[in-house]
């Protein structure tokens, strides 16, 4: 009918509009990570104390972005400044002296610690994704515990390439709970809403926060999953 056709067109237009809004948030994080990689590489080449200066820069930059929960960088053995042997087991380094700082927000303050899992192909997806592809990489969403609270995040990582080889990776962890709040303010018709799916078909955002990070096939939307396949942003009026 004409009414149905008009409704479908309106829904399609709204989805495209809101998809662009999500893209803006995501592109902001991507631009943020690219900017980090450029500046950190400059510190490597010009600073007398690059490891200390990079940490200060990460903190200053993190404070300027509301949607970024944490920033980090991980370097291959002795590739940051050739001085790993001077930093064995020191703060923000590992047992071999690799430079692996991770700075993240805890309320109005920052916590600094060494990255974990970067040497594991499974737990280190945030690192190996960009390392193996030699290209910017986005992880599937995961939970990160901050001060006893599990926060849904995803990472955008950018490789540092020198002479054709990846020598390090720089990344930003995006706070999905903040993005979810933005997306939940968007509506379609009277009862329609927007949710986003990650590449592994788990919910990145949804107005029912209890199913975030759950695979769509494990939720009440499983009967619609096949119809939604290959879509990254869905709008509609599906009832629970």
């Amino acid at each position: 009918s004409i009414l149905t056709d008009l409704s479908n067109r309106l829904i399609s237009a709204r989805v495209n509009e809101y998809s662009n809004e999500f893209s803006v948030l995501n592109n902001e994080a991507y631009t943020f990570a690219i900017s980090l990689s450029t500046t950190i590489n400059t510190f490597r080449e010009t600073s007398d104390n690059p490891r200390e200066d990079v940490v200060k820069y990460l903190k200053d930059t993190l404070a300027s972005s509301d949607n970024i929960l944490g920033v980090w960088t991980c370097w291959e053995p002795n590739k940051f400044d050739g001085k790993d042997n001077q930093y064995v087991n020191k703060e923000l380094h590992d047992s071999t002296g690799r430079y692996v700082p991770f700075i993240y927000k805890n309320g109005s303050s920052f916590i600094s610690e060494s990255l974990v899992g970067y040497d594991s192909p499974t737990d280190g997806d945030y690192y190996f994704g960009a390392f193996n592809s030699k290209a910017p990489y986005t992880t599937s969403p995961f939970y990160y515990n901050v001060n006893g609270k599990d926060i849904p995040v995803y990472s955008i990582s950018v490789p540092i390439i020198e002479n054709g080889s990846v020598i390090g990776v720089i990344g930003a962890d995006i706070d999905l709970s903040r993005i979810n709040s933005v997306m939940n303010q968007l509506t379609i018709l009277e009862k329609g809403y927007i949710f986003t799916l990650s590449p592994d078909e788990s919910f990145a955002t949804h107005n029912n926060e209890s199913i975030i990070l759950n695979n769509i096939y494990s939720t009440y939307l499983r009967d619609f999953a096949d119809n939604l396949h290959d879509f990254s942003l869905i709008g509609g009026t599906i009832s629970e």
Side-chain angles (χ1 to χ4, degrees), residues 12-197:
S12 179
R14 289 295 191 187
V15 168
N16 288 332
E17 176 187 347
Y18 297 154
S19 176
N20 289 336
E21 186 152 353
F22 183 85
S23 294
V24 167
L25 294 170
N26 192 66
N27 289 339
E28 175 190 340
Y30 173 73
T31 301
F32 184 90
I34 291 291
S35 176
L36 287 179
S37 67
T38 301
T39 304
I40 289 176
N41 228 10
T42 300
F43 277 124
R44 287 180 60 230
E45 299 169 356
T46 63
S47 174
D48 292 332
N49 299 293
R51 301 194 185 211
E52 291 82 358
D53 288 344
V54 164
V55 170
K56 182 179 184 303
Y57 168 70
L58 291 178
K59 290 180 179 179
D60 291 343
T61 307
L62 183 58
S64 69
S65 177
D66 291 334
N67 295 322
I68 308 297
L69 176 67
V71 289
W72 52 269
T73 184
C74 181
W75 293 78
E76 286 293 283
N78 237 24
K79 293 297 185 180
F80 183 75
D81 57 9
K83 298 179 180 180
D84 283 4
N85 64 325
Q86 299 179 26
Y87 293 90
V88 173
N89 287 322
K90 291 192 174 181
E91 186 181 12
L92 306 182
H93 299 78
D94 67 10
S95 60
T96 68
R98 282 180 69 177
Y99 189 45
V100 290
F102 175 35
I103 317 296
Y104 61 94
K105 296 174 182 174
N106 181 24
S108 59
S109 62
F110 299 104
I111 294 178
S112 305
E113 59 188 33
S114 299
L115 286 168
V116 296
Y118 54 85
D119 52 354
S120 164
T122 301
D123 296 336
D125 180 54
Y126 66 89
Y127 177 69
F128 282 108
F131 182 88
N132 292 332
S133 67
K134 294 185 177 181
Y137 182 80
T138 302
T139 69
S140 293
F142 59 94
Y143 279 114
Y144 196 83
N145 188 280
V146 177
N147 198 26
K149 181 180 179 181
D150 286 331
I151 297 177
V153 303
Y154 69 97
S155 291
I156 293 179
S157 51
V158 177
I160 300 296
I161 300 176
E162 191 170 86
N163 298 322
S165 299
V166 177
I167 60 173
V169 174
I170 294 166
D173 293 345
I174 294 80
D175 185 347
L176 271 173
S177 62
R178 293 185 64 88
I179 294 178
N180 194 50
S181 295
V182 173
M183 299 301 288
N184 286 346
Q185 296 175 22
L186 311 177
T187 59
I188 299 176
L189 302 181
E190 293 183 5
K191 297 182 180 180
Y193 61 92
I194 292 289
F195 62 81
T196 56
L197 292 176

Side-chain angles (χ1 to χ4, degrees), residues 217-232:
Y217 286 97
S218 69
T219 71
Y220 64 87
L221 289 170
R222 57 185 173 274
D223 293 337
F224 300 92
D226 290 338
N227 294 330
L228 303 181
H229 190 62
D230 291 333
F231 285 85
S232 60

